[in-house]
Amino acid sequence: MPDKTHLRAPIDPSRLRAMMGELSTFGGGPDGSMNRMSLTRTDGEARDWLGRWFAEHDFVQSIDAIGNQFGKAALAGANAPVIMVGSHIDSQPNGGRFDGALGVVAACEAVLAVAEKLKSENRLSACNFQVVNWTNEEGARFQPSLLGSSVFAGSAELDWALDRADGDGVTVRQALAEIGYAGSDKVPVPDALIELHIEGDKHLFEAGELFGVFTRYWGATKYRLAFLGRQAHTGPTPMAERKDALLAAAYLIGDLKEIAGEHGLDLHTSVGRLEVFPNSPNTVPSEAVLFIELRSGSPEVLAEAERKMKLRIEAAADKAGVTYEVRSIDRRKAGRFAPPLVALAEQVAADYGETARHLDTIGGHDAVAMSSVCPSIVMAVRSRDGVIHHPTEFTSPEDYTRATQILADMLYTIASEGLQAVDLKEAAT
């Protein structure tokens, strides 16, 4: 990367690294793990920390009705375009410290660096910037994932989202009130959204490359399916008379793996969560609830996988002698991120001698939900061994510093030249 005198909007690496360290104290364990589930007390403390950072740096905070947290840097006029930058700070249980969190911290540092650069030049920006921390991106505590961004984009109804409940019956509405983030601010849709994220795969790591751009996002079909049997004693109840809901779940889990194999690399399937009732060693389970995911970049493959799954559900229930019910279905379409933002990322990365490898994102991101309402992009910085959602998830300070500098210079380009200069004005209309 060029020396600091050639950077368009030089970031402060020590400030960036300090912020990453501070945010990691909220829910961080000694083994590198992160437990900062959405809208828990720990998440609330991290949000409070972010709000203090906003106040200290003259970012105006807003909280909307689903708890999305925004910090606006008014560097232009009140009617100027707005570029939103950020990600999320909620984590998986026993997850890692970089997924989502890096995107929020990098956004803070990048926008601050642009503001400092413009101030040193005694000039106004062509746009305003707004850092965002989206609510419940992970979908670990409340389902579905991308909940806050989906409400913001209008693809999910607010009251429906507020009524989502966790495993203990606590709703989003109750959790927001408990931590003080049941907001009422109205935040307009931005003119573009830019998100930096760890890759969460090993393409960049194995290629020895730092930076990539997600150009395509996979679709997903998510079922919450319950097999319903009959509770009985595991001792005296004859095997032939048992109606074991968990047995049906086991049949289906194996079948889902086979379905994935029938489509090669174009389909991912999983059951990431299983809830069993009454969950006692001496009792035949009467209920087994599966959280099923089908993911593909091809709408046709996704539809065919769902058709096959439905047949296997029937067969599993019949084989185990139980019934079943579908309790919810969530769908996310496949699509592509905004070409003008992809081009801008490529241009800035190339200025620093970095490639911008084109990638697919199989996992969901808030920018996927936002793609339906404004030009959006997710950019990737390599993660060691491609690890994500695990305590060993790691992106080196050197790597995330360089990626944040690319982000800052992208923002500075837009601030200096305006939306039209980077072909965003037409894309946003």
Side-chain angles (χ1 to χ4, degrees), residues 245-408:
L246 185 56
L247 180 60
Y251 290 148
L252 181 61
I253 290 169
D255 287 344
L256 288 168
K257 179 66 165 28
E258 289 185 2
I259 292 172
E262 292 167 6
H263 293 275
L265 300 178
D266 292 332
L267 178 70
H268 288 189
T269 66
S270 70
V271 176
R273 180 171 170 180
L274 183 63
E275 297 175 348
V276 180
F277 181 83
N279 206 27
S280 170
N282 300 316
T283 303
V284 175
S286 61
E287 181 176 287
V289 181
L290 296 83
F291 290 70
I292 301 168
E293 292 186 358
L294 310 174
R295 297 178 186 261
S296 179
S298 163
E300 294 76 20
V301 168
L302 203 55
E304 177 64 8
E306 185 176 5
R307 185 191 69 79
K308 291 178 178 178
M309 179 185 70
K310 289 178 179 179
L311 295 175
R312 304 295 180 93
I313 290 171
E314 293 274 2
D318 184 64
K319 189 175 180 181
V322 302
T323 60
Y324 69 91
E325 62 184 27
V326 176
R327 294 184 173 171
S328 68
I329 303 174
D330 297 307
R331 302 183 190 278
R332 188 166 65 233
K333 292 182 179 179
R336 293 189 175 276
F337 290 115
L341 291 172
V342 172
L344 177 61
E346 290 173 330
Q347 171 195 321
V348 174
D351 289 345
Y352 295 144
E354 299 288 354
T355 55
R357 178 182 288 266
H358 286 195
L359 302 163
D360 280 3
T361 178
I362 300 174
H365 297 284
D366 293 301
V368 172
M370 289 293 289
S371 288
S372 64
V373 293
C374 70
S376 302
I377 190 175
V378 181
M379 305 177 305
V381 58
R382 66 185 168 201
S383 49
R384 186 173 63 191
D385 295 323
V387 174
I388 193 169
H389 287 185
H390 189 272
T392 58
E393 172 184 296
F394 181 76
T395 294
S396 73
E398 293 77 17
D399 283 355
Y400 70 67
T401 296
R402 294 164 74 191
T404 301
Q405 185 61 66
I406 292 173
L407 172 63

Side-chain angles (χ1 to χ4, degrees), residues 23-46 88-99 101 138 140-141 389-393:
L23 182 53
S24 293
T25 64
F26 300 101
D31 60 347
S33 64
M34 177 53 62
N35 287 281
R36 192 165 55 225
M37 301 279 278
S38 184
L39 307 184
T40 57
R41 184 177 63 180
T42 304
D43 184 37
E45 292 169 349
H88 62 95
I89 62 173
D90 66 314
S91 81
Q92 290 287 329
N94 197 43
R97 301 186 178 197
F98 298 85
D99 176 8
E138 291 290 353
R141 182 181 180 192
H389 287 185
H390 189 272
T392 58
E393 172 184 296

Side-chain angles (χ1 to χ4, degrees), residues 27-363:
D31 60 347
S33 64
M34 177 53 62
N35 287 281
R36 192 165 55 225
M37 301 279 278
S38 184
L39 307 184
T40 57
R41 184 177 63 180
T42 304
D43 184 37
E45 292 169 349
R47 287 165 168 259
D48 292 345
W49 168 85
L50 181 59
R52 290 192 296 272
W53 189 93
F54 287 156
E56 289 167 4
H57 296 89
D58 297 323
F59 286 46
V60 178
Q61 177 166 277
S62 300
I63 309 294
D64 70 8
I66 195 63
N68 294 320
Q69 182 179 15
F70 305 91
K72 189 171 186 178
L75 307 182
N79 296 321
V82 175
I83 306 300
M84 193 173 282
V85 198
S87 192
H88 62 95
I89 62 173
D90 66 314
S91 81
Q92 290 287 329
N94 197 43
R97 301 186 178 197
F98 298 85
D99 176 8
L102 174 60
V104 174
V105 170
C108 290
E109 176 58 36
V111 173
L112 186 57
V114 171
E116 291 172 341
K117 179 65 171 180
L118 292 171
K119 184 177 181 180
S120 72
E121 296 171 337
N122 195 29
R123 55 196 288 243
L124 288 175
S125 172
C127 62
N128 294 311
F129 293 100
Q130 195 161 37
V131 174
V132 60
N133 166 33
W134 299 108
T135 295
N136 195 59
E137 190 272 356
E138 291 290 353
R141 182 181 180 192
F142 303 102
Q143 290 79 48
S145 56
L146 313 186
L147 192 64
S149 54
S150 294
V151 170
F152 186 89
S155 58
E157 293 292 333
L158 173 62
D159 284 338
W160 177 86
L162 290 172
D163 288 339
R164 297 308 90 204
D166 67 9
D168 295 321
V170 178
T171 65
V172 171
R173 191 188 310 271
Q174 292 168 327
L176 284 169
E178 186 172 326
I179 65 171
Y181 279 86
S184 59
D185 294 322
K186 306 295 184 183
V187 178
V189 171
D191 292 86
L193 173 72
I194 301 175
E195 180 175 353
L196 179 65
H197 205 276
I198 63 170
E199 183 189 6
D201 205 333
K202 53 188 179 181
H203 298 294
L204 294 175
F205 185 81
E206 290 185 341
E209 298 174 9
L210 165 76
F211 186 76
V213 183
F214 292 119
T215 58
R216 187 176 75 146
Y217 50 89
W218 280 29
T221 300
K222 301 185 180 185
Y223 272 58
R224 188 157 62 94
L225 172 78
F227 284 113
L228 304 172
R230 185 176 66 202
Q231 187 173 323
H233 196 306
T234 56
T237 307
M239 296 297 292
E241 295 180 11
R242 298 184 185 187
K243 297 185 181 298
D244 188 336
L246 185 56
L247 180 60
Y251 290 148
L252 181 61
I253 290 169
D255 287 344
L256 288 168
K257 179 66 165 28
E258 289 185 2
I259 292 172
E262 292 167 6
H263 293 275
L265 300 178
D266 292 332
L267 178 70
H268 288 189
T269 66
S270 70
V271 176
R273 180 171 170 180
L274 183 63
E275 297 175 348
V276 180
F277 181 83
N279 206 27
S280 170
N282 300 316
T283 303
V284 175
S286 61
E287 181 176 287
V289 181
L290 296 83
F291 290 70
I292 301 168
E293 292 186 358
L294 310 174
R295 297 178 186 261
S296 179
S298 163
E300 294 76 20
V301 168
L302 203 55
E304 177 64 8
E306 185 176 5
R307 185 191 69 79
K308 291 178 178 178
M309 179 185 70
K310 289 178 179 179
L311 295 175
R312 304 295 180 93
I313 290 171
E314 293 274 2
D318 184 64
K319 189 175 180 181
V322 302
T323 60
Y324 69 91
E325 62 184 27
V326 176
R327 294 184 173 171
S328 68
I329 303 174
D330 297 307
R331 302 183 190 278
R332 188 166 65 233
K333 292 182 179 179
R336 293 189 175 276
F337 290 115
L341 291 172
V342 172
L344 177 61
E346 290 173 330
Q347 171 195 321
V348 174
D351 289 345
Y352 295 144
E354 299 288 354
T355 55
R357 178 182 288 266
H358 286 195
L359 302 163
D360 280 3
T361 178
I362 300 174

